[in-house]
């Protein structure tokens, strides 16, 4: 039995099948972890959803920002444009099953035995895995009760704390943290989200175009107050590409943009990486 984590698929169904062949995936015994963003942009989002859902308890999936957008669209709270963009919602017989499966997915997955935590984008510098799990459970209840509204996708407020606030602020607290866990790339030491554009405009860049080491804006995994034993698997950052550190494991290698689709074996001491090439289904710029 082996366990593999797989990066952002974005509808690259054929490449997912090639990758599973390459790792000799055995659906009877192996397990797959998915970092989210199974859908959108690529050619076969629906195929990806059906395939992963049919894996049942052989698959662990966390919600990406695109799954959240899909849930919002399906809940009737999304915009008309968004429903068109996600055209695969029309006339599919298993829509209800897919919708309820999406709403059952967590924001965060933690496996004590394997010693890995998985989240789509990342965690705020001082947000513990335990706090993030608590938040994921609270948000899960909102999803189960079909309470997700499109305001979860409004611009994220920057300075709210990750600590749970008094009851009346709970929606704002969830809104901030759900946005953060599914979208964070760069942030401040306090965990304020900063867009790549703002980082570039700050001028505080080194020769490689990344933030200078003295810049207050750094990748979330550089700002993180890492605790002993924490190891976080994430995706969402195709531009940064495969990014393997001691405690952070960034697996979005930009398949849909003509990069690669990546699998990392979790239950092997060297965490071997397997990749397949993908054509550029969409072109940036
Ligand atoms: Mn994403």
């Amino acid at each position: 039995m082996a366990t593999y984590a797989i990066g952002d698929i974005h509808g690259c169904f054929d490449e997912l099948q090639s990758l599973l062949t390459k790792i000799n995936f055995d659906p009877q015994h192996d397990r797959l972890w998915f970092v989210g963003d199974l859908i959108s942009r690529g050619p076969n989002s629906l195929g990806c959803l059906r395939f992963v859902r049919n894996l049942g308890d052989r698959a662990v999936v966390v919600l990406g920002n695109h799954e959240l957008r899909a849930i919002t669209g399906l809940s009737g709270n999304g915009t008309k444009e968004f429903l068109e963009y996600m055209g695969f919602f029309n006339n599919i017989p298993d829509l209800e099953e897919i919708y309820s499966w999406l709403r059952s997915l967590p924001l965060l997955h933690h496996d004590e035995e394997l010693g890995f935590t998985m989240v789509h984008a990342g965690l705020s510098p001082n947000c513990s895995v335990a706090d993030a799990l608590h938040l994921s459970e609270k948000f899960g209840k909102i999803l189960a009760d079909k309470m997700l509204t499109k305001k979860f996708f409004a611009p994220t407020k920057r300075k709210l704390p990750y600590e749970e606030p008094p009851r009346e602020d709970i929606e704002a607290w969830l809104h901030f943290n759900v946005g953060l866990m599914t979208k964070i790339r760069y942030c401040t030491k306090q965990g304020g989200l900063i867009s790549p554009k703002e980082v570039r405009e700050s001028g505080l860049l080194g020769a490689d175009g990344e933030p200078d080491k003295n810049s207050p804006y750094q990748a979330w995994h550089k700002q993180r107050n890492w605790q002993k034993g924490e190891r976080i698997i994430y995706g969402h950052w195709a531009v940064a590409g495969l990014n393997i550190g001691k405690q952070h494991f960034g697996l979005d290698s930009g398949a849909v943009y003509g990069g690669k689709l990546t699998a990392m074996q979790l239950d092997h001491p060297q965490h071997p990486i397997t990749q397949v090439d993908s054509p550029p289904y969409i072109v940036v710029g």
Side-chain angles (χ1 to χ4, degrees):
M1 176 181 145
T3 303
Y4 303 90
I6 295 179
D8 303 46
I9 301 167
H10 278 306
C12 297
F13 179 78
D14 293 347
E15 289 71 23
L16 173 61
Q17 298 308 316
S18 304
L19 183 63
L20 296 183
T21 302
K22 201 166 175 180
I23 61 175
N24 293 314
F25 172 62
D26 171 1
Q28 296 305 314
H29 300 103
D30 297 341
R31 285 173 190 274
L32 299 176
W33 289 24
F34 294 94
V35 299
D37 282 2
L38 304 174
I39 59 168
S40 304
R41 301 197 164 120
N44 191 357
S45 291
L46 189 56
C48 292
L49 285 177
R50 285 177 173 151
F51 176 79
V52 175
R53 177 172 170 264
N54 284 336
L55 289 170
D57 63 5
R58 295 282 153 202
V60 170
V61 191
V62 292
L63 290 162
N65 50 314
H66 286 273
E67 279 77 39
L68 286 177
R69 284 170 59 110
I71 292 168
T72 312
L74 286 167
S75 69
N77 291 312
T79 62
K80 185 166 163 285
E81 289 75 12
F82 179 65
L83 284 170
E84 284 168 7
Y85 160 67
M86 299 292 285
F88 61 77
F89 289 158
N90 293 326
N91 298 319
I92 62 169
D94 50 350
L95 181 62
E96 268 309 310
E97 288 88 340
I98 288 172
Y99 177 41
S100 85
W101 177 70
L102 284 171
R103 284 192 289 109
S104 75
L105 301 177
L107 279 174
L108 189 99
H109 178 73
H110 176 72
D111 187 314
E112 193 68 35
E113 203 176 314
L114 282 172
F116 280 103
T117 302
M118 177 170 66
V119 63
H120 181 59
L123 291 183
S124 188
N126 296 306
C127 179
S128 69
V129 169
D131 282 344
L133 267 174
H134 172 65
L135 197 131
S136 177
E137 279 164 23
K138 288 248 175 191
F139 186 63
K141 293 200 177 95
I142 286 188
L143 283 182
D145 293 342
K146 303 189 183 182
M147 299 285 284
L148 190 68
T149 63
K150 69 179 173 187
K151 77 187 220 177
F152 272 92
F153 305 96
T156 309
K157 290 177 189 165
R158 288 198 179 153
K159 296 213 165 87
L160 288 169
Y162 68 88
E163 292 91 353
E164 186 167 345
R167 183 175 288 269
E168 62 269 23
D169 298 329
I170 209 143
E171 210 172 66
W173 168 73
L174 273 172
H175 173 202
F176 172 73
N177 282 285
V178 170
L180 197 149
M181 289 163 75
T182 56
K183 289 180 186 162
I184 195 170
R185 289 187 183 109
Y186 296 101
C187 66
T188 64
K189 277 198 169 15
Q190 293 73 37
L193 292 177
I194 300 292
S195 72
K197 182 164 173 271
E198 287 170 291
V199 172
R200 283 195 302 276
E201 287 172 359
S202 73
L204 302 165
L205 301 177
D208 58 358
E210 281 297 296
D212 181 86
K213 66 177 171 27
N214 298 317
S215 166
Y217 312 137
Q218 300 288 341
W220 70 270
H221 52 83
K222 289 189 181 164
Q223 305 275 28
R224 182 157 181 78
N225 182 18
W226 287 101
Q227 301 300 300
K228 193 165 176 283
E230 269 182 8
R231 294 191 297 183
I232 298 181
I233 293 165
Y234 64 100
H236 188 63
W237 203 344
V239 173
L242 184 69
N243 191 343
I244 305 293
K246 283 202 172 72
Q247 295 188 275
H248 71 277
F249 301 83
L251 300 185
D252 186 353
S253 39
V256 79
Y257 305 102
K260 292 171 190 295
L261 188 62
T262 295
M264 180 177 95
Q265 190 175 348
L266 304 185
D267 57 336
H268 183 291
Q270 268 90 49
H271 311 309
I273 297 284
T274 306
Q275 295 184 308
V276 293
D277 292 322
S278 174
Y281 290 111
I282 58 170
V283 178
V284 188

